[in-house]
Amino acid sequence: MSFSHKPVFPIARKVFSVFLEREVTLSVIQPINFDPACAYPLVLFNDGQDFEGLGMSQIISQLQSDGEIDPVLVVGIHANYDRIYEYGVAAEADYAGRGNRAGATSDFVTKELLPFINDEYHVARDHIVYAGFSLGGLMALDIVWNNPGIFSKTGVFSGALWWRKRALHDGYDDSDRIMHTQLRHGEVKQNLKFWFQCGSLDEYDDRDGDGVIDSIQDTLECIAILEKKGYAWNREVFYKEIALGEHNLDTWSEALPDFFKWAFSEK
């Protein structure tokens, strides 16, 4: 998209997390014409350190300026060198022990970060969205799925939905995918909506040789589980596939306007 409006650039904030045992940097993008007395919808993003590369400020400012979405507060949570351990599925690390601190991340977001944001800004608590990219997308989906009383929607860009309890060379089958198993056996969470994105060139791996790359297969099979639980395609579950899209910031940036319009053009 072309940009004609001067963007609202992020404000750097820091909050100490007892659960993560470290200071967490935040990138906060306030709504255009921010009014501290107003309550705004909130979207959290994992990997907030990538906001500049995504063009996040320009995209969100232009959408609000053009009236395509309502004013919204955007908060990016920066990852650090422990990202591979702090992101994942809270209930279970993967076969290599990665994601073993995802539970601490979940506690940080729900018990420390959200109270901090609400103290600093007025948040419309009935409209909190959480999104992420790659492994950050898996983490966002896991936190939203397990906290339906807090979040209303989630966005998963090229999600690491392959996350598994057994390596491919160690007798793996698709029942080893951790997120799929959690969704399959979990209770239906009312009033949740899900948005997934993949690129046709997200990767080249095709573990079962069916001609569909793993990232698309894992995503579509995750969606199929949600559909079986009663979440309807294009009503509660949405999917965007980008032709020639890759596993990178440029592709995710291309997808962001559609995500924001889905999440914030209507409640």
Side-chain angles (χ1 to χ4, degrees):
M1 64 188 300
S2 60
F3 303 115
S4 60
H5 189 277
K6 184 177 180 181
V8 177
F9 288 107
I11 300 168
R13 302 294 302 271
K14 294 184 183 294
V15 58
F16 184 82
S17 170
V18 173
F19 294 105
L20 292 174
E21 302 177 284
R22 67 177 178 90
E23 190 173 59
V24 180
T25 300
L26 309 173
S27 291
V28 180
I29 304 175
Q30 296 179 345
I32 291 177
N33 302 318
F34 174 67
D35 181 350
C38 290
Y40 293 101
L42 168 67
V43 57
L44 301 177
F45 279 97
N46 288 326
D47 290 310
Q49 73 277 359
D50 290 330
F51 270 15
E52 182 176 357
L54 289 162
M56 185 70 74
S57 296
Q58 293 87 343
I59 290 169
I60 192 67
S61 297
Q62 191 68 48
L63 290 170
Q64 291 175 86
S65 177
D66 292 345
E68 294 193 74
I69 65 170
D70 295 333
V72 58
L73 179 68
V74 180
V75 176
I77 308 163
H78 290 221
N80 70 356
Y81 55 85
D82 279 333
R83 178 180 184 273
I84 196 71
Y85 302 104
E86 291 183 351
Y87 286 176
V89 175
E92 184 176 358
D94 89 329
Y95 68 91
R98 295 169 294 196
N100 63 351
R101 302 202 70 207
T105 298
S106 182
D107 284 337
F108 161 66
V109 169
T110 58
K111 299 175 182 178
E112 295 176 326
L113 178 61
L114 286 175
F116 171 80
I117 295 172
N118 201 59
D119 284 345
E120 298 293 312
Y121 305 92
H122 288 173
V123 173
R125 298 196 189 194
D126 62 340
H127 197 189
I128 300 178
V129 181
Y130 196 179
F133 312 92
S134 190
L135 185 52
L138 175 69
M139 184 79 262
L141 176 60
D142 181 60
I143 290 177
V144 170
W145 178 252
N146 287 292
N147 295 277
I150 297 175
F151 300 98
S152 60
K153 298 177 180 178
T154 185
V156 183
F157 296 72
S158 299
L161 299 171
W162 59 266
W163 207 244
R164 49 187 173 256
K165 63 179 68 179
R166 194 180 314 185
L168 292 177
H169 60 267
D170 193 26
Y172 165 88
D173 66 41
D174 284 347
S175 67
D176 290 316
R177 291 175 297 186
I178 296 171
M179 193 69 221
H180 293 71
T181 300
Q182 180 175 201
L183 294 176
R184 185 178 294 111
H185 296 299
E187 296 181 0
V188 174
K189 317 297 175 75
Q190 299 296 331
N191 303 316
L192 283 184
K193 292 186 177 182
F194 309 83
W195 188 94
F196 296 88
Q197 175 271 329
C198 277
S200 65
L201 298 180
D202 233 303
E203 62 177 326
Y204 295 98
D205 290 343
D206 177 9
R207 60 179 176 264
D208 55 10
D210 64 353
V212 179
I213 59 174
D214 291 347
S215 58
I216 290 178
Q217 179 178 334
D218 291 335
T219 298
L220 293 178
E221 291 179 359
C222 185
I223 290 172
I225 293 170
L226 291 170
E227 288 186 286
K228 287 180 181 178
K229 301 187 83 67
Y231 299 100
W233 183 277
N234 285 338
R235 192 178 69 198
E236 289 91 20
V237 184
F238 296 79
Y239 176 64
K240 179 179 180 66
E241 188 171 306
I242 296 180
L244 305 182
E246 300 179 336
H247 197 89
N248 60 28
L249 299 182
D250 287 343
T251 295
W252 300 329
S253 179
E254 180 182 341
L256 275 170
D258 280 352
F259 166 72
F260 278 120
K261 285 184 277 189
W262 167 79
F264 296 109
S265 62
E266 52 84 22
K267 301 294 193 293

